[in-house]
C-alpha cells in the first residue's frame, strides 16, 4: 500500500523570525527526496517542524500523512502515525537505554516489547553498530558516527512509513555513511519507506540514491529536479539562487581518506552502485582507493 | 539547622509513646526480604529473630560506646530519643567478615504513637559487614525518631543501607552518625520514598587517617511530602576522603531540601571531599532547595561541590516522544534514568530489581495524582 507525506504551504517562525516561508513537498512511499540548501536556509527547522520539536511556531500550511493532519498532533502521535525523525544531533538521555526507550514505544503502539532486543541486535549488525552500545544510555559517550548508526538502528526497529533524516551524513566517516545509506535504501525497497533527507553535503548523494532533489533557500524551495540538479549545484554552488556559498563536497576529505583506507583494510568494498562510482573515481574523495 | 524545614509543624503532644514494635515479619515486607535473600541476622523490633552469624553480637545491653558518643552533641530530638529509646546494639567482632547483610526491620504500626529506635553499631578493627535497615509502616499517623550511631574501628569496612518506605502520614526525624578510625571505609546509602515529613540528618566524621566515607541517597517525593536532608562530611584525620551523591525527584506538590556541609578541620591535610546534589522537579507545585556549604581550615585539600535543581529536559522528552513514547512514559523513563546512576551503586546488588520495580510503581502513582 502506498502512502503519502504531503507538505503544503508550510510556514514557521522561530521567535518572531520567519524561517519557513511556504514549503510544498510530496513524498510517496519508496521515494527518496533530498532537500539541500546553504546554512540558515531553514533545513533543520523544516525537519523539526514536521516532527513536532518544541520551540517552533507554525504560522501556516499543512503537513499530512495519508490525509492525517500531523501538525495538530503531539510528537509521539506523529511517530505513531508512521513518522520518524533521525536527528542531526541525537540527544543524550542519561540512564535510559535503547531497549528501554523502544520497548516503551512498542508498548504504547500495541506491539510486543519482547521483540525489541532481537530486532535491535539484528539492526545493529546491519549498520555495523557494536551490540554493546544497545545497552548503554541513549547517545551517552557515543561518537558522532555511532550516534547516526544508532538513529538508523532505531529507524530499522520502529519501521516507520516516512523518515525525515536531518543531516544524517554529518559527522559520519565514509564507511558509516555507506552503512547508514544502504540500510535506508534497503528500507525503501523492503518496506516502501519514504525518505525526506536534509543535507548540507553533496556526498550523501554518492551513497543514497535520490529520486528528487530540492533546493531550499531562505525558507522556500526554489528549484526541484532529478539527481542531475545536485551535480549542477556542485559546480555552480548556490550562486544561481543568489547565495554566495559553494556546495560543500570535500570538507571531510582528510578524514574520509583515512576512513576509506580503514574500510579497505577491513574488507569493505565500494559496491552498491558500480556505474556511479566508476564514473566518479577521479572526483570522488570517498571512493575506495583500492577498489 | 532547621531552616527550610517543616519541623515547626511537629506537635509532639499528638503522639503517645509506642509499645515495642512488631517482632514478626509484616507480610508487606516479605518481598523485600525475599529480594535480599541470605542474611547474617534478622532483627525485628530490636530483637534478633532466628540465627545470628558467628562474629556478630546483637544485644540490648552489650553497649560498646556510651549513647551519643558518635552522634555528638544532640539536638532536641536526639535528646528525646535518648530519653525514650529502645536500644539495639550490634558489634561485628575484630576481623570478622560477614558474607551476608544484617537486616534490621523497624515496623511502625501504632496509629498516633511515637517510636524512638536507637541503634549502636560497632565494627571492630578489620571487620567487614553490611547492614540493611528497613524503616516501614502501614498507613498510620505516627512519629518515628530513629538514631543510628556507627563506630568503625581502624581498618573496618561497613556498608549501611536504609530503605525508608514509611506510609504517607508518618513523620520521620532521623539521625545517622558515623565515626571512622584509621583506614576505615564506610558507605551509607539512603533510599527515601515514604513519609509525610521525612528528615534525615547524616553526619560522617573521618577521625583517623586514611578513612573513606561515601554517602549516597536516592529519594522520590510525591503528593505534599517533604524530604529534608542535612549532611555533614567532617574531616579530622589526614588523607581522608569523603564523597557524597544525593539525587532525587519531587513530583506533584512535594518538596525536598538538601543542606550539606563539608568541614575540613585544621590538621586534616590531604583531604579529598566531594559533594553532589541533583534534583529533578516534576510537578508544577513541587520545589527543591539545595544548599551546599564548605568550611575549610586547612590548605592542602581538594574539595568540590555541585548542586542542580531543574525540570525534566524538554529535549530529552522530545527525543523519546519522536520514537513514539507518550510524554508520561517518557518522563518516567527520564526520571528512572536520572536516578539510575545512584541506584546502580546500591551496595546490595540483589536488591536492584526490587528497587527499580518499587521506584517505577511510585513514579506511576506520582503520575496518577498529577492534576
Amino acid at each position: 500500500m502506498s502512502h503519502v507525506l504531503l507538505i503544503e504551504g508550510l510556514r514557521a517562525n522561530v521567535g518572531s523570525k520567519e524561517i519557513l516561508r511556504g514549503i510544498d513537498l510530496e513524498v510517496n512511499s519508496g521515494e527518496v527526496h533530498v532537500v539541500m540548501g546553504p546554512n540558515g536556509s531553514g533545513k533543520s527547522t523544516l525537519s523539526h517542524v514536521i516532527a513536532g520539536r518544541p520551540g517552533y511556531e507554525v504560522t501556516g500550511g499543512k503537513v499530512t500523512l495519508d490525509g492525517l493532519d500531523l501538525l495538530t498532533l503531539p510528537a509521539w502521535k506523529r511517530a505513531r502515525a508512521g513518522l520518524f525523525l533521525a536527528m542531526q544531533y541525537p540527544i543524550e538521555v542519561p540512564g535510559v537505554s535503547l531497549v528501554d526507550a523502544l520497548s516503551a514505544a512498542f508498548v504504547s503502539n500495541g506491539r510486543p516489547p519482547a521483540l525489541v532486543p532481537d530486532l535491535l541486535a539484528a539492526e545493529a549488525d546491519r549498520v555495523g553498530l557494536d551490540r554493546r552500545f544497545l545497552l548503554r544510555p541513549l547517545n551517552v559517550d557515543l561518537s558522532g558516527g555511532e550516534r547516526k548508526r544508532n538513529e538508523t538502528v532505531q529507524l530499522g526497529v520502529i519501521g516507520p512509513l516516512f523518515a525525515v533524516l536531518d543531516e544524517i551524513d554529518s559527522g559520519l566517516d565514509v564507511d558509516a555513511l555507506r552503512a547508514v545509506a544502504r540500510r535506508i535504501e534497503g528500507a525503501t525497497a523492503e518496506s516502501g519507506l519514504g525518505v525526506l533527507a536534509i543535507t548540507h553535503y553533496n556526498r550523501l548523494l554518492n551513497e543514497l540514491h535520490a529520486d528528487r532533489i530540492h533546493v531550499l533557500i531562505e525558507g522556500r524551495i526554489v528549484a526541484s529536479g532529478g539527481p542531475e540538479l545536485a551535480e549542477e549545484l556542485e559546480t555552480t554552488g548556490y550562486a544561481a539562487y543568489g547565495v554566495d556559498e559553494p556546495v560543500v563536497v570535500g570538507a571531510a576529505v582528510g578524514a574520509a581518506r583515512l576512513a576509506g583506507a580503514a574500510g579497505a583494510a577491513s574488507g569493505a568494498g565500494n559496491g552498491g552502485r558500480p556505474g556511479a562510482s566508476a564514473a566518479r573515481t577521479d572526483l570522488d574523495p570517498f571512493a575506495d582507493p583500492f577498489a | 539547622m532547621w531552616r527550610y524545614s517543616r519541623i515547626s509543624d511537629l506537635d509532639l503532644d499528638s503522639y503517645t509513646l509506642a509499645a515495642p514494635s512488631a517482632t514478626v515479619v509484616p507480610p508487606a515486607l516479605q518481598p523485600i526480604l525475599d529480594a535480599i535473600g541470605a542474611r547474617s541476622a534478622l532483627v525485628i523490633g530490636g530483637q534478633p529473630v532466628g540465627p545470628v552469624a558467628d562474629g556478630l553480637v546483637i544485644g540490648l545491653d552489650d553497649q560498646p560506646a556510651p549513647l551519643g558518643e558518635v552522634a555528638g552533641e544532640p539536638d532536641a530530638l536526639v535528646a528525646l530519643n535518648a530519653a525514650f529509646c529502645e536500644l539495639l546494639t550490634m558489634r561485628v567482632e575484630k576481623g570478622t567478615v560477614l558474607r551476608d547483610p544484617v537486616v534490621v526491620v523497624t515496623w511502625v504500626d501504632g496509629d498516633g504513637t511515637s517510636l524512638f529506635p536507637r541503634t549502636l553499631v560497632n565494627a571492630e578493627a578489620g571487620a567487614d559487614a553490611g547492614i540493611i535497615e528497613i524503616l516501614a509502616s502501614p498507613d498510620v499517623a505516627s512519629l518515628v525518631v530513629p538514631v543510628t550511631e556507627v563506630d568503625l574501628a581502624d581498618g573496618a569496612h561497613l556498608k549501611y543501607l536504609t530503605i525508608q518506605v514509611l506510609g504517607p502520614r508518618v513523620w520521620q526525624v532521623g539521625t545517622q552518625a558515623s565515626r571512622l578510625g584509621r583506614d576505615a571505609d564506610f558507605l551509607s546509602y539512603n533510599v527515601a520514598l515514604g513519609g509525610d515529613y521525612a528528615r534525615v540528618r547524616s553526619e560522617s566524621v573521618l577521625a583517623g587517617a586514611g578513612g573513606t566515607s561515601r554517602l549516597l541517597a536516592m529519594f522520590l517525593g510525591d503528593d505534599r511530602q517533604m524530604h529534608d536532608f542535612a549532611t555533614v562530611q567532617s574531616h579530622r584525620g589526614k588523607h581522608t576522603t569523603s564523597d557524597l551523591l544525593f539525587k532525587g525527584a519531587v513530583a506533584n506538590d512535594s518538596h525536598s531540601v538538601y543542606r550539606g556541609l563539608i568541614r575540613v578541620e585544621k590538621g586534616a591535610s590531604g583531604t579529598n571531599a566531594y559533594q553532589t546534589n541533583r534534583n529533578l522537579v516534576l510537578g508544577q507545585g513541587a520545589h527543591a532547595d539545595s544548599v551546599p556549604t564548605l568550611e575549610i581550615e586547612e590548605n592542602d585539600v581538594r574539595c568540590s561541590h555541585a548542586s542542580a535543581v531543574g525540570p525534566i529536559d524538554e529535549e530529552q522528552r522530545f527525543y523519546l516522544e519522536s520514537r513514539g513514547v507518550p510524554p508520561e512514559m517518557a518522563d518516567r523513563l527520564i526520571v528512572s534514568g536520572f536516578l539510575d546512576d545512584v541506584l546502580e551503586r546500591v551496595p546490595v546488588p540483589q536488591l536492584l530489581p526490587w528497587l527499580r520495580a518499587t521506584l517505577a510503581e511510585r513514579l506511576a502513582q506520582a503520575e496518577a495524582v498529577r492534576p
Side-chain angles (χ1 to χ4, degrees):
Chain A
M1 186 183 155
S2 190
H3 303 274
V4 57
L5 179 68
L6 197 58
I7 302 168
E8 297 169 283
L10 182 62
R11 309 178 79 94
N13 286 7
V14 175
S16 59
K17 192 170 165 28
E18 184 169 53
I19 307 291
L20 302 183
R21 304 172 177 200
I23 304 273
D24 296 290
L25 285 169
E26 179 181 334
V27 183
N28 292 287
S29 288
E31 292 178 354
V32 176
H33 290 243
V34 174
V35 173
M36 304 188 69
N39 280 326
S41 57
K43 298 190 303 294
S44 279
T45 299
L46 176 61
S47 68
H48 294 163
V49 167
I50 297 170
R53 189 170 190 157
Y56 300 88
E57 186 198 354
V58 175
T59 53
K62 284 208 293 192
V63 178
T64 57
L65 199 165
D66 293 340
L68 177 69
D69 185 357
L70 294 182
L71 297 181
T72 61
L73 300 177
W76 66 278
K77 286 192 176 166
R78 300 183 198 194
R80 206 154 79 165
L83 185 75
F84 182 86
L85 171 67
M87 286 196 198
Q88 182 180 6
Y89 303 110
I91 311 287
E92 293 185 11
V93 191
V96 179
S97 72
L98 200 47
V99 177
D100 294 340
L102 293 189
S103 298
F106 269 48
V107 167
S108 104
N109 218 350
R111 295 170 73 185
L115 298 176
V116 170
D118 286 348
L119 285 171
L120 275 173
E123 288 295 335
D125 293 350
R126 272 186 90 165
V127 299
L129 181 72
D130 195 320
R131 284 188 185 191
R132 69 200 156 91
F133 292 130
L134 302 177
L135 300 171
R136 287 216 196 150
L138 275 170
N139 299 315
V140 175
D141 296 331
L142 260 56
S143 71
E146 286 155 1
R147 288 182 188 206
K148 297 302 176 70
R149 289 186 206 241
N150 186 311
E151 294 287 281
T152 311
V153 163
Q154 295 179 54
L155 189 158
V157 171
I158 291 172
L161 300 176
F162 292 95
V164 177
L165 313 175
D166 188 7
E167 310 232 359
I168 191 83
D169 49 336
S170 69
L172 281 186
D173 62 51
V174 68
D175 289 329
L177 178 58
R178 190 164 295 147
V180 163
R182 285 213 186 124
R183 179 63 192 99
I184 291 164
E185 284 197 343
T188 62
E190 291 162 26
S191 63
L193 175 74
V195 174
L196 182 62
I198 286 162
T199 185
H200 197 79
Y201 301 105
N202 219 354
R203 68 186 182 112
L204 175 67
L205 299 163
N206 298 335
E207 300 297 340
L208 183 67
H209 166 80
D211 297 296
R212 297 287 287 172
I213 308 285
H214 308 276
V215 180
L216 181 69
I217 306 281
E218 292 181 351
R220 287 193 185 91
I221 304 283
V222 296
S224 293
E228 71 287 350
L229 183 56
E231 281 167 37
E232 193 187 307
L233 278 174
E234 196 170 316
T235 38
T236 63
Y238 296 107
Y241 308 103
V243 176
D244 182 23
E245 185 181 311
V247 175
V248 185
V249 274
V253 175
R257 286 229 168 93
L258 288 172
S266 68
N270 190 35
R273 292 174 295 118
S277 4
R280 300 179 51 90
T281 305
D282 55 336
L283 296 171
D284 186 359
F286 306 106
D288 186 335
F290 302 101
Chain B
M1 212 59 198
W2 297 99
R3 248 179 95 206
Y4 304 98
S5 106
R6 238 166 69 190
I7 195 78
S8 56
D9 297 348
L10 178 62
D11 178 11
L12 281 172
D13 292 338
S14 64
Y15 304 99
T16 58
L17 202 56
S21 53
T23 51
V24 290
V25 174
L29 299 184
Q30 199 56 52
I32 180 172
L33 290 178
D34 291 345
I36 293 166
R39 57 200 174 224
S40 289
L42 174 64
V43 178
I44 305 179
Q47 306 278 355
V49 176
V52 174
D54 288 346
L56 171 67
V57 181
I58 299 177
L60 299 178
D61 46 10
D62 179 55
Q63 192 171 319
L67 277 190
E69 190 177 298
V70 175
E73 204 157 298
D75 59 26
L77 285 143
V78 173
L80 210 58
N81 175 287
F84 297 117
C85 69
E86 290 178 58
L87 179 65
L88 165 68
T89 65
M90 287 186 283
R91 191 157 51 85
V92 188
E93 291 180 329
K94 191 174 173 181
T96 299
V97 177
L98 294 181
R99 202 191 55 182
D100 302 315
V102 180
V103 179
V104 179
V105 174
T106 301
W107 178 249
V108 183
D109 61 354
D111 203 10
T113 63
S114 54
L115 193 64
F116 298 88
R118 183 79 169 223
T119 309
L120 297 185
V121 179
N122 182 7
E124 293 185 346
D128 189 340
I131 296 172
I132 303 173
E133 182 183 47
I134 302 167
L135 191 56
S137 83
D139 184 12
V140 290
S142 303
L143 168 70
V144 58
V145 184
V147 176
T148 300
E149 298 182 70
V150 179
D151 200 5
L152 287 87
D154 294 350
H157 287 233
L158 190 78
K159 298 184 172 87
Y160 202 97
L161 167 65
T162 302
I163 297 174
Q164 187 269 87
V165 281
L166 292 164
R169 291 184 296 145
V170 179
W171 275 52
Q172 175 205 10
V173 186
T175 302
Q176 301 170 348
S178 57
R179 181 176 62 184
L180 283 73
R182 172 179 281 271
D183 297 325
D185 190 304
F186 180 58
L187 185 147
S188 126
Y189 194 115
N190 274 282
V191 175
L193 298 174
D196 175 2
Y197 171 76
R199 177 182 199 267
V200 177
R201 178 184 150 84
S202 187
E203 173 161 7
S204 192
V205 176
L206 294 122
T212 300
S213 187
R214 284 161 291 163
L215 306 169
L216 297 109
M218 190 272 284
F219 58 94
L220 177 66
D222 184 18
D223 213 354
R224 299 187 50 77
Q225 195 180 13
M226 180 170 188
H227 287 293
D228 183 353
F229 295 101
T231 66
V232 182
Q233 294 153 263
S234 185
H235 292 259
R236 292 180 194 164
K238 291 187 193 308
H239 302 291
T240 50
T241 299
S242 69
D243 195 354
L244 177 146
L245 177 64
F246 275 40
K247 278 181 99 168
V250 280
N252 295 301
D253 297 315
S254 64
H255 187 176
S256 71
V257 179
Y258 170 81
R259 284 157 299 157
L261 171 66
I262 292 176
R263 186 191 292 134
V264 181
E265 298 190 4
K266 193 109 194 105
S269 57
T271 286
N272 288 291
Y274 311 102
Q275 187 188 69
T276 303
N277 168 235
R278 296 190 196 282
N279 308 278
L280 209 46
V281 179
L282 307 177
Q284 289 287 328
H287 187 74
D289 290 303
S290 183
V291 189
T293 321
L294 300 175
E295 260 180 37
I296 299 170
E297 293 175 13
E298 184 55 62
N299 292 318
D300 172 26
V301 301
R302 273 196 302 183
C303 294
S304 75
H305 58 175
S307 89
V309 176
I312 283 187
D313 186 301
E314 227 185 31
E315 297 274 278
Q316 293 180 10
R317 184 191 285 135
F318 170 71
Y319 187 77
L320 294 174
E321 278 197 55
S322 73
R323 273 59 191 147
V325 181
E328 319 82 64
M329 276 173 109
D331 285 6
R332 246 182 283 160
L333 281 173
I334 292 166
V335 177
S336 310
F338 170 79
L339 296 175
D340 208 58
D341 70 334
V342 64
L343 209 58
E344 69 186 8
R345 293 182 221 192
V346 72
V348 190
Q350 67 267 32
L351 256 182
L352 255 181
W354 180 87
L355 270 172
R356 288 206 167 106
T358 304
L359 192 64
E361 201 178 291
R362 300 269 169 160
L363 274 171
Q365 280 168 12
E367 196 183 291
V369 290
R370 185 189 277 181

